[in-house]
Amino acid sequence: MEIVVFGLGALGTVFATCLKSQGHTVFGLTKEKYITHLKDRKLRIKGLFGNKEAQLDGIFTNTEQIKNKAPHLIIVSVKAYDTETAINQIKPIVGQNTLILLAQNGYGNYEVASSIVGRQKVILSRIIFGAKIVEVGTAEVTVFADDIIVGQPDKAVPEEKLIEIAKVFNEAGLPTRVSHDVYAILWDKILYNSALNPLGAILECSYGTLAEHEETRKIMNKIVEEIFNVVKINKIKLNWKDYKEYLQHFYEKLVPPTAKHFPSMYYDIKQGKKTEIDALNGAIVKLAKECNLSVPVNETITNLIKVKEKLMMKNK
């Protein structure tokens, strides 16, 4: 299979390394500032998915350099705030048989991508393994909570195509399964990330530390309760009857295996980078305002992260 991975951050590096190691043709797209570190085209991963090294078939900064390619799959692993730009950039290389898989956090990526290239080209995924960049070109998989889930929310992609992609991923050491409920499953991760990521970034602590303290548990509980109120009004299907049922699952099943994990938002802020808050709690605030609903805790958390972003960028 011919594959393009757009974004060679932690997740993109894991995908590209595993897939190339399995013998697929893999090209990477990354930012200009990283190219000098990747002249040998070699990527490496370590951690929970094993130690692997692979030399990609090419690493480029724009699609003009691979305009004659017609990849079978494009994996988009850029930050949510870059989704629209990324989809517009890859649009010229989306051929008749090309599918785009969104490997991203937050709400709105599927909606943006579908509006640009059409639902029949876009596959949604839920990724709940955690990875961090050790250095440019090397990533470490630090957390694995569940399989990668792939699916098409509107059933616009034939199921056999989804099964084929899942098979390719599994053979490459990326545990994956297909689900028709991928959209609801993705919202599970939005709940998880919205509760943990901003607080972990603000307080500079792990997920487990947040769950240990009554004060932070109260804040996380309220974040989740507000999200349930918003999705109910917007008629978004979730896998839980109410927020209390979700919270029980959250504290008993989700937090323990990731207790030592620090959120990517924490690392983004430490490095003076923009975070994905607008695709998480910020997206909840936006959806709430559209239906005249108040979500004060999500709004406060969003504002705190935005201030922290500005302060860190100023001091960078």
Side-chain angles (χ1 to χ4, degrees):
M1 184 176 281
E2 191 163 286
I3 301 165
V4 172
V5 178
F6 195 147
L8 293 178
L11 291 186
T13 297
V14 173
F15 274 106
T17 305
C18 289
L19 291 164
K20 183 58 193 174
S21 295
Q22 191 60 25
H24 297 283
T25 300
V26 180
F27 298 96
L29 284 170
T30 192
K31 293 181 179 178
E32 183 73 44
K33 62 182 179 180
Y34 300 130
I35 283 291
T36 55
H37 300 281
L38 298 167
K39 283 183 179 178
D40 61 359
R41 297 180 280 119
K42 284 185 179 179
L43 299 181
R44 300 166 183 85
I45 67 165
K46 60 182 181 177
L48 298 182
F49 289 175
N51 296 324
K52 297 180 182 180
E53 179 178 297
Q55 187 172 44
L56 299 196
D57 296 278
I59 299 179
F60 308 107
T61 58
N62 60 71
T63 55
E64 183 65 25
Q65 295 163 298
I66 50 174
K67 63 182 180 181
N68 296 322
K69 305 295 181 184
H72 301 101
L73 181 66
I74 302 173
I75 300 171
V76 176
S77 60
V78 301
K79 295 290 189 179
Y81 50 77
D82 281 333
T83 298
E84 184 174 359
T85 300
I87 300 300
N88 279 315
Q89 285 180 0
I90 63 176
K91 191 175 179 180
I93 62 168
V94 176
Q96 184 177 352
N97 298 314
T98 303
L99 291 172
I100 299 169
L101 184 139
L102 304 178
Q104 301 168 281
N105 283 330
Y107 171 76
N109 298 303
Y110 173 71
E111 289 74 11
V112 168
S114 298
S115 70
I116 296 172
V117 295
R119 296 177 299 175
Q120 74 281 3
K121 291 292 183 184
V122 182
I123 299 169
L124 193 57
S125 72
R126 189 288 314 263
I127 296 168
I128 203 163
F129 71 80
K132 65 179 182 180
I133 287 291
V134 177
E135 59 183 8
V136 178
T138 302
E140 180 179 4
V141 180
T142 56
V143 174
F144 176 67
D146 194 11
D147 292 350
I148 298 166
I149 305 290
V150 297
Q152 216 299 325
D154 299 304
K155 299 180 181 178
V157 173
E159 187 170 10
E160 56 266 27
K161 290 286 187 182
L162 301 175
I163 293 171
E164 180 187 0
I165 289 169
K167 183 175 183 289
V168 165
F169 284 7
N170 280 305
E171 289 173 348
L174 298 160
T176 304
R177 67 182 189 269
V178 175
S179 175
H180 297 297
D181 296 322
V182 65
Y183 199 75
I185 293 169
L186 180 67
W187 266 96
D188 285 351
K189 191 182 180 188
I190 293 171
L191 285 160
Y192 174 84
N193 283 341
S194 296
L196 292 165
N197 286 15
L199 271 180
I202 292 166
L203 298 175
E204 302 185 359
C205 65
S206 69
Y207 293 168
T209 301
L210 293 175
E212 287 173 6
H213 295 277
E214 180 183 356
E215 295 84 356
T216 43
R217 284 174 74 105
K218 284 181 178 178
I219 296 170
M220 291 191 293
N221 293 353
K222 203 64 185 176
I223 287 171
V224 170
E225 182 181 357
E226 289 180 357
I227 294 174
F228 267 78
N229 292 336
V230 170
V231 298
K232 183 178 180 180
I233 289 180
N234 283 277
K235 297 180 179 179
I236 295 171
K237 178 189 173 185
L238 297 182
N239 288 319
W240 313 93
K241 66 179 181 181
D242 56 35
Y243 77 94
K244 292 180 181 178
E245 182 185 54
Y246 173 77
L247 285 172
Q248 182 177 351
H249 177 73
F250 175 76
Y251 289 117
E252 292 180 2
K253 303 293 184 182
L254 299 182
V255 174
T258 59
K260 295 181 181 179
H261 188 67
F262 280 66
S264 59
M265 196 173 286
Y266 162 81
Y267 295 108
D268 286 340
I269 286 178
K270 280 290 186 182
Q271 295 167 22
K273 295 180 179 178
K274 187 178 179 181
T275 73
E276 293 183 298
I277 192 67
D278 283 332
L280 294 170
N281 308 74
I284 302 305
V285 174
K286 184 178 179 181
L287 285 171
K289 286 182 177 178
E290 290 172 357
C291 52
N292 296 315
L293 188 66
S294 176
V295 286
V297 179
N298 278 279
E299 187 164 7
T300 298
I301 288 292
T302 300
N303 289 335
L304 285 172
I305 286 292
K306 290 192 172 185
V307 171
K308 191 150 188 172
E309 276 182 6
K310 290 177 182 177
L311 292 174
M312 292 302 291
M313 289 179 181
K314 185 178 179 181
N315 295 327
K316 187 178 177 182

